[in-house]
Amino acid sequence: MTLQQLKYLVTVAECGSITAAAEKLYISQPSLSTSIHSLEKEMGVTAFIRSKKGITITHEGEQLLSYARMLLEQADNMKDHFGKGKKRTPKFSVSCQHYSFAVNAYVDLIRHFDSDQYSFILRETQTGEIIDDVANGRSEIGILYLSPDNEAILSKMIKNKDLQFIELFVADPHVFLSADHPLAHKDIIEIDDLIPYPYLVYEQGEQNSFYFSEELIPMLDFPKNIQVRDRATLFNLLIGLHGFTVCSGVIDQKLNGDNIIARPLHFSSQMRIGCIVRKHTILSPYASFYQEALKKHLSI
């Protein structure tokens, strides 16, 4: 097994076909196929099922890809650490829930490591995908929250995937609503105050249960519910329908605009916002910088 073979494996998975991967890697298709077959034979697995339409990744292949991405990432981190003076292309990926501070920290990261070439990825995605992305090596860091209600389930998933949770910030729940909302004048909002208004939540796909919710309060507590996939849609509905959502209270006026405000919610639970990373790995300089940038924006 070589790092080159692992790179070939990951590239084939990303491209979805041997032909496209060979073109991207500037090698012949037969050479790439031989290299992949050799790796599969050495590992005793079938990573891909080949067909005229391309390739399909097997369950064993997904596991092999997870290790391959981790090893390639660690090799890059080692080069960054010991290869002083050598110019490298910055590369870093994060998967997170929909937090403005995560975006602001990412802006700091890109500005700090700006160069003629770089490859940065920021995925605002569903909670289950965040855990899978980090476990499978698609992202080096994930950002989510734990609470007394979801901690048992999510902590078990995190542990079973050989990840660890690093707490960054403990937040009291707040209500996000428009500046002209009928409740905007209240210093503290009660649960009963919210019942007449649409509750906006981020849709979680197949794992659409309270344990994976980005919001602290279950949808069942309110008669009107709207599920969305992106931040812009949620904020437009907050303004257009006098809707609301429940989150950390960390808000950025430059990113979210003056029309969105946060008000404390009278609710006993708290949100422990933090990072998930793989255990027993060395973080890249980008991941280390990003963690510090998160702490800075969470302390403002």
Side-chain angles (χ1 to χ4, degrees), residues 176-207:
F176 279 15
L177 35 72
S178 67
D180 63 351
H181 193 284
L183 301 177
H185 68 283
K186 295 181 68 73
D187 294 328
I188 298 178
I189 294 177
E190 303 287 340
I191 295 290
D192 288 346
D193 295 334
L194 298 169
I195 290 176
Y197 305 102
Y199 186 23
L200 305 172
V201 301
Y202 287 108
E203 192 264 334
Q204 297 295 326
E206 294 180 358
Q207 296 173 319

Side-chain angles (χ1 to χ4, degrees), residues 98-111:
H98 298 74
Y99 296 128
S100 59
F101 60 81
V103 178
N104 290 332
Y106 217 75
V107 170
D108 291 351
L109 169 85
I110 295 173
R111 286 175 174 170

Side-chain angles (χ1 to χ4, degrees), residues 61-172:
E62 287 285 3
Q63 293 178 314
L64 185 59
L65 278 164
S66 177
Y67 282 107
R69 291 188 182 104
M70 181 178 66
L71 289 170
L72 289 170
E73 181 183 284
Q74 290 297 285
D76 285 341
N77 292 348
M78 186 172 67
K79 291 175 183 177
D80 285 333
H81 182 79
F82 292 104
K84 302 298 183 182
K86 292 185 179 180
K87 187 176 181 179
R88 303 190 185 280
T89 300
K91 184 172 64 175
F92 178 60
S93 178
V94 167
S95 295
C96 64
Q97 292 176 330
H98 298 74
Y99 296 128
S100 59
F101 60 81
V103 178
N104 290 332
Y106 217 75
V107 170
D108 291 351
L109 169 85
I110 295 173
R111 286 175 174 170
H112 183 79
F113 291 102
D114 191 19
S115 66
D116 293 336
Q117 293 185 357
Y118 53 66
S119 179
F120 292 119
I121 301 175
L122 175 61
R123 299 183 179 95
E124 286 190 331
T125 188
Q126 298 166 346
T127 302
E129 289 183 355
I130 294 169
I131 297 172
D132 288 341
D133 283 351
V134 179
N136 295 330
R138 295 187 184 93
S139 289
E140 191 173 356
I141 285 181
I143 304 171
L144 47 72
Y145 84 90
L146 299 180
S147 72
D149 294 309
N150 71 9
E151 185 166 0
I153 299 295
L154 295 191
S155 292
K156 184 177 181 180
M157 287 184 62
I158 290 168
K159 181 179 179 181
N160 288 344
K161 291 181 179 290
D162 206 28
L163 308 175
Q164 61 178 331
F165 177 81
I166 302 171
E167 183 177 302
L168 297 173
F169 181 73
V170 178
D172 292 319

